[in-house]
Amino acid sequence: VSAAMARSEDWRECRVALPAPHNWLVLDLRSEEPEAWARTLAGEHLGGDVPEQLREALATDLLWYWGAAVRLGALCAAVLAPWNGPVVASYTVRELTVPPEARTVEAFRAEVEQAQGPCFGDGQVLTEAELPLGPALRVHRQEPTDPRAEHGTVVEGIAHYVLPLRYPTALECRLLWTSLGLGAELIKVADELADSLRLV
């Protein structure tokens, strides 16, 4: 299963291979009727034998993540939603607008190290990675669910800042989750998703 969305004249699609397709739901970021889309996807995912309130709850969640991805200007996005529970993780890929001189792993490292806020600083782990798409800075950290808020729910996440070798751009690939018990598994998934990323 792959998520894709048209974006640039230089490359037509951003693709990510999603694991466990029965649990990963691709967000249609081009939908012109997001509420109807969210209800339809929630119904398809849960089936007809669940109470209406559960379908409405999932549809509300999907709509929230859809809105967040659209506001980010995401190229593609998906959520991990087990059949019998709420959304536990979200994944987005977005293009970053940075000047040519800042398109280096070193520049990304300096930017991340200087970032301020309740969930940055000593708690994050920075490493460099070589992905099929190009070199990347891998950041393991905690982030607020609402970046504009001073307080609130904090989730764990892995972000890869990728510099594609064939294209003069920069990408952020970010997996966030709220269930601490899934941390070890989702860290592995984040790396697999970043490794699968392609621009075609």
Side-chain angles (χ1 to χ4, degrees), residues 69-92:
V70 168
R71 288 191 295 274
L72 276 177
L75 304 173
C76 56
V79 296
L80 177 60
W83 177 82
N84 60 348
V87 171
V88 297
S90 64
Y91 192 70
T92 56

Side-chain angles (χ1 to χ4, degrees), residues 13 21 34 48 104 109-110 114 118 123 125 132 150 160 194-195 199:
E13 291 182 340
T104 66
R109 178 182 288 274
Q114 294 171 10
V125 179
E150 290 292 329
H160 289 83
D195 196 62
L199 299 179

Side-chain angles (χ1 to χ4, degrees), residues 130-135 163-168:
E130 286 295 330
L131 302 177
L133 197 62
L163 298 167
L165 294 173
R166 293 175 52 195
Y167 306 97

Side-chain angles (χ1 to χ4, degrees), residues 4-90:
M5 182 174 178
R7 181 64 175 184
S8 167
E9 293 180 359
D10 295 327
W11 42 275
R12 294 170 291 109
E13 291 182 340
C14 161
R15 294 181 179 174
V16 177
L18 298 170
H22 58 289
N23 284 336
W24 282 94
L25 305 178
V26 177
L27 305 186
D28 182 1
L29 303 181
R30 290 176 287 186
S31 175
E32 296 182 357
E33 297 182 357
E35 292 185 6
W37 161 82
R39 289 195 189 95
T40 299
L41 184 57
E44 292 173 350
H45 181 60
L46 296 176
D49 296 331
V50 301
E52 179 65 23
Q53 63 188 37
L54 292 182
R55 285 197 298 273
E56 284 297 320
L58 179 57
T60 298
D61 279 353
L62 291 174
L63 194 59
W64 187 91
Y65 284 100
W66 181 92
V70 168
R71 288 191 295 274
L72 276 177
L75 304 173
C76 56
V79 296
L80 177 60
W83 177 82
N84 60 348
V87 171
V88 297
S90 64

